[in-house]
C-alpha cells in the first residue's frame, strides 16, 4: 500500500481539511449515490405506527435492510478513505479524532496566551489611569493659551494669497483654530453682510495677517 497521507503536514490542519471533504462526500453519498438504494427499501419500512406503539418493533426484513444499508455506507466511506490514503474508514476516523484533539489543545494554548496579553494590557491601563489622576488638570484657558503660543495667527484677521483657487485669493477672514491632523489653520471667511461665513482650512504659507489700523 502506498505511504499513508496521514503523515503529511500538520495533523490539525489536515484534519480540518479532511472533515470538510468528508462532509461533502457524505452529502453526495446520502443524497445522490445511495438514493436508488434508499428508495428501493421504502416499502420495507412502510409499517403501521401502531406496530411500534404495541412494542412489536422492527421486522426481520427491516433488520436485514438496515444491515444492507450499513454495508453500503461502509463501502462508500472505505472508498473515500482509500482516496485520502488511509487503509480503512476506521483509520480515517481515528486520524480525524486525533487531529481534532490536537487542535483543541492548540486552541487552549492560544487562549491562555491571549488571556495573558489581556491581563498585561489591563494592568497597563490601570497604571496609566492612576498616573493620569496625579497629573494636574489644565484649564481651557491654559490649553487655549498654549495653542495660541504655538500657532500665533489664531484670533488674528488675515487675508488669503497664493492659492491655486484664484477666486479665493484676496479674501479676508478670521483664524479660529488649528487642525493638527492636516496641519492647517481654520479660517472663517468674512462676508459682505456680516453673517457667519464659510470655514476653510488653509496652510500657513497662504495666510497673511492683516495689520491693525492705528
Amino acid at each position: 500500500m502506498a505511504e499513508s497521507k496521514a503523515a503529511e503536514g500538520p495533523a490539525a490542519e489536515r484534519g480540518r481539511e479532511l472533515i470538510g471533504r468528508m462532509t461533502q462526500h457524505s452529502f453526495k453519498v446520502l443524497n445522490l449515490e445511495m438514493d436508488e438504494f434508499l428508495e428501493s427499501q421504502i416499502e420495507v419500512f412502510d409499517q403501521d405506527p401502531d406496530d411500534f406503539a404495541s412494542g412489536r418493533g422492527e421486522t426481520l426484513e427491516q433488520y436485514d435492510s438496515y444491515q444492507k444499508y450499513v454495508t453500503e455506507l461502509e463501502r462508500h466511506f472505505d472508498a473515500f478513505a482509500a482516496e485520502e490514503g488511509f487503509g480503512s474508514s476506521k483509520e480515517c476516523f481515528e486520524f480525524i479524532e486525533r487531529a481534532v484533539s490536537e487542535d483543541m489543545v492548540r486552541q487552549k494554548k492560544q487562549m491562555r496566551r491571549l488571556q495573558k496579553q489581556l491581563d498585561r494590557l489591563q494592568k497597563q491601563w490601570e497604571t496609566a489611569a492612576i498616573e493620569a489622576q496625579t497629573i494636574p488638570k489644565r484649564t481651557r484657558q491654559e490649553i487655549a493659551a498654549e495653542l495660541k503660543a504655538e500657532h500665533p495667527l489664531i484670533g488674528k484677521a488675515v487675508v488669503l494669497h497664493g492659492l491655486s483657487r484664484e477666486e479665493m485669493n484676496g479674501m479676508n477672514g478670521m483664524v479660529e483654530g488649528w487642525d493638527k491632523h492636516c496641519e492647517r489653520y481654520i479660517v472663517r471667511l468674512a462676508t459682505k453682510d456680516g453673517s457667519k461665513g464659510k470655514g476653510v482650512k488653509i496652510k500657513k504659507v497662504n495666510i497673511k495677517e492683516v495689520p491693525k489700523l492705528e
Side-chain angles (χ1 to χ4, degrees):
M1 186 182 70
E3 184 178 353
S4 174
K5 294 181 181 179
E8 296 177 8
E13 182 178 351
R14 182 164 186 256
R16 288 191 296 270
E17 295 174 352
L18 191 59
I19 289 172
R21 291 195 294 273
M22 180 173 285
T23 301
Q24 294 177 349
H25 178 76
S26 301
F27 181 86
K28 179 182 177 182
V29 167
L30 294 174
N31 290 277
L32 297 175
E33 296 179 2
M34 290 188 63
D35 185 61
E36 184 177 347
F37 169 80
L38 294 174
E39 286 187 0
S40 69
Q41 303 300 309
I42 290 178
E43 292 184 2
V44 177
F45 291 88
D46 186 15
Q47 189 172 0
D48 193 318
D50 290 339
D51 290 343
F52 292 101
S54 65
R56 286 192 291 272
E58 66 182 23
T59 64
L60 291 176
E61 188 179 12
Q62 288 172 349
Y63 180 76
D64 181 62
S65 176
Y66 173 72
Q67 291 300 316
K68 291 179 182 178
Y69 166 77
V70 171
T71 301
E72 186 71 10
L73 201 60
E74 287 179 346
R75 183 179 66 81
H76 282 285
F77 278 99
D78 281 341
F80 170 81
E83 289 179 1
E84 293 292 332
F86 296 95
S88 65
S89 57
K90 181 176 181 292
E91 182 184 339
C92 180
F93 281 114
E94 287 175 348
F95 172 78
I96 290 176
E97 185 177 359
R98 289 195 304 272
V100 170
S101 297
E102 291 175 9
D103 198 31
M104 289 179 64
V105 171
R106 183 181 59 83
Q107 289 183 19
K108 287 180 179 179
K109 289 181 179 179
Q110 289 180 340
M111 288 300 297
R112 285 196 292 269
R113 286 197 295 268
L114 179 60
Q115 186 61 50
K116 288 181 179 179
Q117 292 176 353
L118 291 174
D119 291 342
R120 185 168 61 254
L121 289 173
Q122 176 71 17
K123 289 179 180 179
Q124 291 175 352
W125 180 85
E126 291 174 353
T127 302
I130 293 172
E131 291 176 350
Q133 293 176 359
T134 62
I135 299 175
K137 294 183 178 179
R138 298 181 299 167
T139 64
R140 290 184 178 180
Q141 290 80 3
E142 290 173 333
I143 295 174
E146 288 181 11
L147 186 61
K148 192 168 184 179
E150 294 177 8
H151 308 287
L153 288 177
I154 294 177
K156 304 288 186 178
V158 296
V159 61
L160 308 185
H161 71 96
L163 296 168
S164 58
R165 293 180 58 184
E166 295 183 359
E167 69 275 11
M168 294 184 67
N169 292 326
M171 288 187 174
N172 294 91
M174 182 69 69
V175 178
E176 294 186 338
W178 173 260
D179 189 324
K180 65 180 181 180
H181 298 293
C182 60
E183 297 186 340
R184 284 170 170 75
Y185 278 106
I186 302 169
V187 180
R188 183 69 58 183
L189 298 177
T191 59
K192 293 180 179 180
D193 59 5
S195 61
K196 191 173 184 179
K198 178 182 178 182
V200 293
K201 296 178 181 180
I202 307 293
K203 291 180 180 180
K204 182 180 179 180
V205 296
N206 299 118
I207 296 175
K208 284 184 181 179
E209 182 180 353
V210 177
K212 289 185 178 180
L213 297 176
E214 297 295 338

